[in-house]
Amino acid sequence: MGKTPAPNSKQPPTQPQYNRKSKRRIQFRRILLICLASVFLGGCWDNHELESLAFITVIGIDKGKHNNLKITYQFFTPATESPKHSGVHKPLVTTFQAPSFGVAENIANVSSDRMITSQQLKVTIISESFAKKNDVARVLEGMVRSRSYRRDILLVTSLDDASDTIRANLSKLGSTSLDFIENMRNQHTFTGFLPVETLNDFLIANESGDTLAFTGLVALNKQSSSGESTNQSENRIAGQFPIKNGDDPLQYIGAEIYRGDRAAGRLTGQETRIVLLLQRKIGTFLMELPDIHHSDRRNTLLLRQIIGPRIRAHLDHGQLHFIIHVPLDATLDSTTAEINYVQDTKQRRLLERVFDQKLQHETVKLLHRCQKEFRGDPIGLYPAIKWRFLTEKSWRQFNYTKHFNKARFIVQYEIEITNFGKQRAPFGAQ
Amino acid sequence: MIKDGHISSMQLIAIMLIIIIGKGLDSAILILIHWGHSAPELLMLVGEIGIVTIVALQLPLFKDPNKNLIDLLIDTFGGVMGSLFGFSLFTSLLLDLAMNVYYDIEQIRVVFLPTTPPNLVLFLSIVAMIIPAYYGIEVLGRTNLIMFALMMVVILSLIAISFTLINIDYMPPLLGPGIPQLLKQGVLHSGFFGEYLVYLMLRPYVRSYRSFRNSFYIIAGISILFGAIGLVIIQLVFPYPIDDHLFFPFIELAKLIYFGRFIQHIEAVYAVTWLAVTFARLSLLLYVLSLMAASVARTPHFRRFAPSIGAMIYYGALLPPTLSDAIDFKDIMLEKRGFPFYGGIAILFLIVGYLKKWRNKPNGGQNPSAEQQAAPDAATVQP
């Protein structure tokens, strides 16, 4: 006879009880694992609260003392927090001397409790005086190496000290100083006055050796008299426009050409437009010329680039020839000539040819200036001939810059007026 | 044979495409850029078509659903030589994975965690690789199907968005360093796509030979197409030699995306997706290494190898002092010098495998082998 187990003695667990226990154990382990993973994968070492960071939005580079860089930081300050100066929100700007960008962040922290970060940096302004005497590409190399700098930072050259330029940037129309520059960047396709050249574009042009790098140009509005003598308002650079009581004391127009890492010369607003036209980077722009019949009357066209320019190149006994054809669509924006350009096709064609010839003349003049003054191609015409070279070795042996500086150009613009605005006939037409 | 469930051909395609295309998202791609100059896509085509051809020729040897690559190596070359060859392939894949882990850890350091100790990130990454490997091929197959969808959405959107950044004039010279150099370097860098060996290890998990074979051609076609498009886009955004000077072209490309003031820092989305896809890829490779180790050791318990392989990867990833050294190690040791060895094994296996297959055919050899002669007798004596 076997013994019956006592009613209060321990029963061996049945199979379902085992399963339940082991399931609970597995669940517990999984939850523990998830908790541990969330602790470790949270990246506690790199944790930064938003309140503990200071975001740099604009950097200025000037020549400092003792082989240092004079670096100016403009910090992002919310509009509600920034101090007001004559009713305008004044951003926080600080200037100091540092040997490099990396060290600059540490030095800036001497007087700032927040950790300096360049993650939101949008613009770098280099003073022209610094760019003429120093190797800009090598200075900027420090930017691309650091993890916190992006390659899409807008590069601008300032005719004045970068620190003065940054401090002067105070829009009266309510834009923060950063918004002002961003708005200028975004509206370049409507004026063609300012090239949007990023750090990436600059380094690509510089390292390729085929083209010359360039940046936009900015200067303080000094109401200089030098620009007033020129007939064409576009043939000026930043700082030469006599604007009284404008929105911002800064003027963004023109470009600075760099050769061999250093500033080599300036392009006027009109020359910048031509460069952008040939690069197919322009949207629309207004151009005005005196009327062919009455020199005191004016015609203004709104030119629109719909199709890119057709650039062909060929070698003739070692001589490089470029044939450039630029089609443009136009709208008659305003006219005081009292000629019915809508219905008089012959007059319309004449008007188109006048604008064609003016742009052709200016383009050829610019190309010759590039050959003689800059000794290189800032436009980037090289693809027209580079496609013929199949290997890098043969392209290097060709020496494009040498050929470009002796090249001949045939430039042809083809403007077609397709729109006449809201007015069918001119005022006072019979 | 190691039993670990079955996966569908779609899951197999997803797994392999994550392994091969995912490679283009880390610094390994610099090897192709460095040697292909302005024509990295042509170098990739030469190298990948070479290895695809070798693997495609090997496929008919994998009709037996119970045998993976190591099993067949042992069958073909005998226990000692087969195990030795299998171990050589295991070692090369292990070192390759260790370098891949190093690239990805460096990318994590640069993008996400600059001050976190890299050893800790490495340790956590190895743990994150081991855990999915424990769950087996069926879980990996299902998970990676989702990961694959995620990866394709990211890659396709990146391709679409990059059209605003590309400059077609950065394309020439079309032949980069020249055809002879491209052919030479392409053959030498066939080992860049050594991950195709993984495919041969996954044979037992696909039910039919036909779907196994067809999946391979789909994988090869898609990876060649996307690989070439990816390399061309990098070249058109960062023309040579700029792209050769970067460590992380994929992240730099994503960082250039700019939609105006209100939509910025899109790279964060790409970086997080890259992280998820990377861990999926690394855990798959660890799983396959465990399978290889178990196959060489002739044991079905492959899971027990995962922690020790993880430890080996950990120490292997600690060896290179810098990312540049890790890239050079992969380029020179694993591809240029190593590939003739394990590429030689693949070719030897191909030759000997076909010879044996031909001899085992009833009318293939002149004299039927002893086994073939014994087989009918054995059949007759059985009840």
Side-chain angles (χ1 to χ4, degrees):
Chain A
M1 239 175 97
K3 280 182 182 176
T4 52
N8 56 350
S9 67
K10 274 191 174 179
Q11 291 280 336
T14 55
Q15 194 63 28
Q17 275 177 322
Y18 264 128
N19 285 347
R20 237 176 281 140
K21 272 189 177 178
S22 62
K23 269 184 186 172
R24 268 189 219 141
R25 213 172 290 149
I26 290 167
Q27 274 181 345
F28 175 74
R29 279 179 194 165
R30 280 181 187 169
I31 291 165
L32 191 73
L33 191 75
I34 291 166
C35 292
L36 275 174
S38 62
V39 168
F40 283 114
L41 297 174
C44 297
W45 271 272
D46 298 283
N47 177 35
H48 295 293
E49 295 299 329
L50 203 60
E51 289 80 14
S52 68
L53 296 171
F55 294 98
I56 308 164
T57 52
V58 183
I59 282 186
I61 305 169
D62 292 300
K63 177 79 184 157
K65 287 175 186 168
H66 310 298
N67 213 18
N68 280 334
L69 299 171
K70 184 178 155 194
I71 290 179
T72 303
Y73 281 168
Q74 180 187 300
F75 293 97
F76 176 79
T77 43
T80 49
E81 299 294 326
S82 60
K84 277 192 172 182
H85 173 78
S86 313
V88 179
H89 289 289
K90 202 176 173 187
L92 175 63
V93 180
T94 176
T95 303
F96 48 88
Q97 309 253 344
S100 68
F101 289 109
V103 177
E105 283 186 14
N106 271 202
I107 292 173
N109 261 125
V110 170
S111 65
S112 174
D113 62 324
R114 296 189 177 202
M115 201 182 109
I116 309 291
T117 174
S118 318
Q119 303 269 9
Q120 295 291 335
L121 177 66
K122 301 285 180 219
V123 188
T124 296
I125 299 176
I126 309 156
S127 73
E128 193 192 44
S129 56
F130 172 81
K132 276 185 173 170
K133 292 174 186 166
N134 293 276
D135 199 336
V136 174
R138 281 184 211 285
V139 172
L140 295 175
E141 201 268 350
M143 273 190 171
V144 285
R145 196 171 285 279
S146 168
R147 68 179 289 274
S148 55
Y149 292 94
R150 299 158 63 87
R151 293 177 81 97
D152 65 347
I153 300 165
L154 180 71
L155 283 187
V156 180
T157 304
S158 170
L159 297 185
D160 305 285
D161 266 10
S163 63
D164 295 343
T165 305
I166 292 171
R167 275 170 219 281
N169 182 13
L170 293 169
S171 167
K172 291 167 194 157
L173 288 174
S175 305
T176 63
S177 52
L178 177 64
D179 289 349
F180 183 83
I181 302 173
E182 284 240 85
N183 289 340
M184 292 301 282
R185 170 190 180 141
N186 293 337
Q187 66 156 325
H188 83 286
T189 51
F190 305 112
T191 62
F193 282 148
L194 185 75
V196 178
E197 289 296 299
T198 60
L199 181 60
N200 190 46
D201 300 328
F202 186 89
L203 294 173
I204 286 173
N206 219 301
E207 276 200 66
S208 74
D210 298 330
T211 54
L212 299 181
F214 60 89
T215 69
L217 207 57
V218 63
L220 287 164
N221 178 10
K222 294 175 197 136
Q223 296 180 18
S224 156
S225 58
S226 61
E228 289 173 22
S229 59
T230 55
N231 291 328
Q232 284 291 309
S233 62
E234 296 90 351
N235 277 331
R236 304 181 200 185
I237 55 168
Q240 290 183 343
F241 282 77
I243 298 172
K244 283 181 185 169
N245 302 323
D247 172 24
D248 198 283
L250 296 182
Q251 293 181 1
Y252 287 82
I253 181 169
E256 181 79 40
I257 302 280
Y258 285 78
R259 190 185 67 243
D261 304 342
R262 293 184 187 205
R266 304 164 188 169
L267 294 182
T268 63
Q270 184 66 3
E271 286 172 332
T272 308
R273 273 179 175 173
I274 291 168
V275 170
L276 295 179
L277 265 177
L278 297 181
Q279 290 183 336
R280 206 201 180 283
K281 282 185 180 172
I282 207 163
T284 58
F285 66 95
L286 289 160
M287 188 175 164
E288 182 226 48
L289 284 178
D291 188 67
I292 34 172
H293 304 296
H294 316 281
S295 58
D296 58 329
R297 295 178 185 180
R298 303 256 163 187
N299 295 309
T300 307
L301 293 187
L302 174 69
L303 295 162
R304 195 179 297 112
Q305 191 173 32
I306 297 170
I307 307 164
R310 190 176 174 208
I311 301 166
R312 285 171 293 159
H314 65 268
L315 278 166
D316 185 10
H317 296 98
Q319 171 76 51
L320 186 59
H321 292 261
F322 283 102
I323 302 159
I324 301 167
H325 177 250
V326 191
L328 290 171
D329 183 76
T331 296
L332 183 64
D333 193 68
S334 69
T335 175
T336 54
E338 296 183 9
I339 295 168
N340 192 345
Y341 287 117
V342 182
Q343 286 161 327
D344 192 338
T345 318
K346 197 180 166 190
Q347 288 298 328
R348 199 196 311 160
R349 294 283 169 259
L350 268 173
L351 181 67
E352 288 170 352
R353 291 297 80 78
V354 170
F355 277 83
D356 283 345
Q357 281 164 12
K358 177 71 181 167
L359 280 169
Q360 278 162 23
H361 173 72
E362 286 180 340
T363 305
V364 172
K365 203 172 142 192
L366 170 67
L367 289 165
H368 287 153
R369 195 177 163 215
C370 291
Q371 288 178 316
K372 287 179 182 132
E373 196 178 325
F374 306 134
R375 296 200 301 280
D377 171 18
I379 300 157
L381 301 174
Y382 69 90
I385 193 79
K386 195 174 181 180
W387 281 97
R388 295 184 188 192
F389 292 84
L390 290 174
T391 63
E392 280 157 9
K393 196 180 169 187
S394 58
W395 175 247
R396 273 199 303 273
Q397 282 171 348
F398 173 65
N399 195 347
Y400 169 72
T401 306
K402 190 182 157 192
H403 278 84
F404 172 84
N405 289 338
K406 290 174 185 169
R408 288 180 187 165
F409 303 96
I410 298 169
V411 181
Q412 188 194 6
Y413 278 78
E414 192 183 330
I415 294 171
E416 192 178 352
I417 303 172
T418 56
N419 192 293
F420 300 90
K422 296 185 291 182
Q423 203 74 9
R424 192 177 178 213
F427 179 76
Q430 297 301 312
Chain B
M1 180 205 170
I2 297 166
K3 285 184 179 173
D4 193 29
H6 284 97
I7 52 171
S8 68
S9 55
M10 192 58 214
Q11 288 169 347
L12 179 69
I13 291 168
I15 285 174
M16 283 308 296
L17 287 178
I18 282 181
I19 289 175
I20 298 167
I21 297 180
K23 201 172 188 171
L25 305 182
D26 65 27
S27 303
I29 203 166
L30 292 177
I31 296 171
L32 296 179
I33 292 168
H34 181 73
W35 294 103
H37 296 201
S38 60
E41 71 288 348
L42 294 181
L43 183 83
M44 186 215 75
L45 282 175
V46 174
E48 193 163 356
I49 287 171
I51 197 122
V52 162
T53 311
I54 292 173
V55 176
L57 288 170
Q58 286 177 354
L59 286 181
L61 302 172
F62 285 81
K63 284 189 176 165
D64 185 349
N66 297 323
K67 287 174 181 170
N68 61 30
L69 175 66
I70 306 287
D71 296 331
L72 278 174
L73 280 174
I74 292 168
D75 278 3
T76 311
F77 298 107
V80 177
M81 284 307 286
S83 299
L84 205 64
F85 287 159
F87 186 71
S88 307
L89 295 179
F90 167 81
T91 311
S92 61
L93 198 62
L94 180 83
L95 288 170
D96 190 56
L97 181 55
M99 293 307 111
N100 285 340
V101 169
Y102 190 90
Y103 303 152
D104 295 327
I105 297 304
E106 279 293 306
Q107 202 154 321
I108 290 170
R109 255 175 90 178
V110 170
V111 179
F112 300 104
L113 309 167
T115 52
T116 304
N119 288 4
L120 180 80
V121 180
L122 178 60
F123 177 76
L124 291 172
S125 306
I126 300 287
V127 172
M129 285 159 63
I130 293 171
I131 294 168
Y134 253 84
Y135 282 95
I137 192 72
E138 288 191 349
V139 175
L140 283 173
R142 284 179 209 149
T143 318
N144 282 292
L145 206 53
I146 301 165
M147 285 296 165
F148 173 65
L150 188 70
M151 185 179 81
M152 291 315 280
V153 167
V154 165
I155 289 178
L156 288 172
S157 64
L158 196 63
I159 289 170
I161 294 166
S162 342
F163 271 101
T164 57
L165 302 169
I166 63 172
N167 184 351
I168 197 79
D169 293 328
Y170 292 156
M171 192 80 181
L174 290 174
L175 298 178
I179 291 175
Q181 194 68 5
L182 281 174
L183 286 173
K184 184 188 162 193
Q185 294 300 335
V187 171
L188 283 173
H189 287 90
S190 294
F192 184 83
F193 304 97
E195 279 86 355
Y196 274 104
L197 290 175
V198 169
Y199 191 75
L200 302 176
M201 286 302 296
L202 298 177
R203 172 65 187 104
Y205 310 123
V206 187
R207 286 184 201 277
S208 78
Y209 168 73
R210 197 177 164 188
S211 62
F212 180 71
R213 185 194 59 198
N214 293 349
S215 303
F216 176 77
Y217 293 116
I218 294 170
I219 291 161
I222 294 176
S223 59
I224 286 174
L225 180 73
F226 277 90
I229 291 173
L231 283 165
V232 167
I233 285 178
I234 288 174
Q235 168 68 19
L236 296 184
V237 177
F238 304 109
Y240 185 81
I242 294 278
D243 51 359
D244 195 26
H245 298 170
L246 302 172
F247 268 131
F248 313 107
F250 167 72
I251 293 292
E252 291 289 359
L253 180 68
K255 272 186 163 185
L256 282 181
I257 297 166
Y258 178 81
F259 286 128
R261 204 186 308 155
F262 298 105
I263 307 169
Q264 295 187 25
H265 294 262
I266 302 290
E267 78 269 13
V269 178
Y270 291 107
V272 170
T273 315
W274 163 79
L275 195 68
V277 171
T278 292
F279 278 111
R281 179 170 154 261
L282 295 178
S283 58
L284 280 169
L285 288 169
L286 181 76
Y287 172 81
V288 173
L289 275 171
S290 308
L291 282 182
M292 288 176 102
S295 300
V296 171
R298 314 301 287 162
T299 168
H301 305 293
F302 72 93
R303 284 184 177 86
R304 292 173 189 178
F305 288 88
S308 36
I309 292 170
M312 283 194 276
I313 294 165
Y314 180 86
Y315 290 114
L318 287 177
L319 287 176
T322 64
L323 178 57
S324 184
D325 291 328
I327 295 168
D328 286 347
F329 179 78
K330 187 180 170 72
D331 181 13
I332 296 162
M333 293 306 292
L334 293 179
E335 289 179 12
K336 279 188 160 178
R337 292 186 190 163
F339 186 68
F341 175 65
Y342 52 85
I345 294 175
I347 291 165
L348 199 65
F349 168 63
L350 195 70
I351 296 165
V352 178
Y354 270 103
L355 263 174
K356 279 203 163 185
K357 201 179 171 190
W358 177 70
R359 279 187 64 190
N360 288 340
K361 270 187 180 177
N363 301 321
Q366 286 178 348
N367 298 313
S369 65
E371 280 175 27
Q372 280 174 324
Q373 281 175 338
D377 299 337
T380 49
V381 290
Q382 275 186 5

